[in-house]
Amino acid sequence: PLAIYTLAFALSRNQSNLKFDFCATLLLISAVADNLTGHHLLGLAALPKGNTVYPVDPNTIELSRSASVVNYFGNWITEPGLAEARQFENLERLLQRRDFNWSADAGPRPDLAKLAIDGNSHTRWRTVRPQQPGDWFSVEFDRVVPVVKMVFSVRAAPSDYSRGFKIYPITEEGEEAPAEAFSPWLGPLQWTADGYPYFGRTTMVIVDLPQQLNLRGFKLEQTANAKFDWTISEIKLWKLPSEDRS
């Protein structure tokens, strides 16, 4: 009824305003239909209702605003309870010396690599030139370390985040596993209070792995160009709580 009333109002307007009113009416009808049916007419997604927990039904996943996030990271992010389980406060921070020791290497500027793992957020490794495909940074642990979340802080150089990269896990057998690709980098995986995934700020380089991995190290490889350096101020790691190995 609201859409019909609006259409009647638009038709009663003078000719000069008719085109604008018709477009506004079409958008209104589309929005009403979206919310009633969960389908798109003009690409407008229905908003989450009430305390709906993501994921809902498959049709809503496909047509929701979160669909692009699922397509980017993969269907694993729709697992029930994952949004809460991956919050920082529900994970265990891994600390150098207590949980592992490590070494770092990089190309270019291997002489600066240690500054990304020195525990000082005011120092940083950087390419000292515009980032480009083929730049890399790697770490090696002195033991097997369980890792589920990684932070590559850029701290005081927010323009120097990687525009696209791959992470190559080094397994406990010392072999390089298939890469997790984030190219282009669209932002970290985050969730709304209702459990809907969305992209965080691109300057926050936070990587959630699909599952916890036992690593002897990992390598990052740059896949994109930018006019800014690639910087890592500090690498921080988290694992699942000791009683939760899923």
Side-chain angles (χ1 to χ4, degrees):
L2 179 59
I4 294 173
Y5 171 81
T6 305
L7 179 60
F9 173 77
L11 292 174
S12 69
R13 302 268 285 171
N14 61 50
Q15 186 70 23
S16 63
N17 293 320
L18 184 58
K19 184 176 180 179
F20 173 81
D21 290 333
F22 175 76
C23 292
T25 302
L26 187 58
L27 288 172
L28 177 60
I29 294 172
S30 173
V32 171
D34 285 345
N35 280 280
L36 291 177
T37 67
H39 291 274
H40 291 284
L41 290 181
L42 294 176
L44 302 176
L47 293 172
K49 296 179 174 62
N51 295 320
T52 303
V53 177
Y54 189 92
V56 281
D57 64 86
N59 183 60
T60 305
I61 291 174
E62 181 182 354
L63 298 176
S64 73
R65 290 187 176 92
S66 295
S68 61
V69 188
V70 176
N71 290 338
Y72 182 81
F73 289 105
N75 288 331
W76 65 272
I77 73 170
T78 67
E79 296 174 8
L82 188 71
E84 181 177 0
R86 291 301 182 92
Q87 298 301 314
F88 283 107
E89 61 267 25
N90 296 324
L91 299 173
E92 290 184 12
R93 172 80 183 275
L94 293 162
L95 298 177
Q96 185 179 6
R97 290 186 289 277
R98 186 192 70 182
D99 298 306
F100 58 83
N101 288 300
W102 54 359
S103 58
D105 198 4
R109 298 308 301 261
D111 57 310
L112 301 178
K114 62 183 180 181
L115 300 180
I117 61 170
D118 63 356
N120 183 352
S121 60
H122 298 287
T123 62
R124 59 191 173 111
W125 168 79
R126 60 194 186 279
T127 54
V128 198
R129 59 152 172 74
Q131 57 187 267
Q132 61 188 39
D135 294 345
W136 59 275
F137 188 96
S138 67
V139 300
E140 182 178 351
F141 301 118
D142 66 341
R143 69 198 77 174
V144 174
V145 179
V147 178
V148 75
K149 187 189 283 279
M150 305 171 170
V151 172
F152 303 98
S153 171
V154 294
R155 185 118 178 129
S159 63
D160 292 358
Y161 67 92
S162 172
R163 268 46 175 194
F165 58 93
K166 294 180 180 179
I167 297 178
Y168 293 90
I170 307 300
T171 67
E172 50 190 317
E173 292 80 20
E175 299 178 352
E176 190 175 277
E180 294 287 337
F182 304 92
S183 184
W185 174 245
L186 298 182
L189 174 60
Q190 298 191 334
W191 287 269
T192 67
D194 291 328
Y196 284 76
Y198 67 96
F199 293 111
R201 297 196 308 274
T202 52
T203 54
M204 299 166 52
V205 186
I206 303 171
V207 174
D208 278 272
L209 299 173
Q211 60 184 7
Q212 181 161 284
L213 298 178
N214 293 322
L215 302 179
R216 287 303 302 258
F218 56 86
K219 178 182 178 181
L220 287 83
E221 182 179 321
Q222 178 76 9
T223 60
N225 288 290
K227 62 182 179 180
F228 300 100
D229 287 19
W230 177 22
T231 282
I232 301 176
S233 174
E234 202 65 29
I235 299 176
K236 302 175 184 179
L237 306 172
W238 280 261
K239 67 174 183 176
L240 295 172
S242 299
E243 67 277 7
D244 183 0
R245 299 296 181 184
S246 58

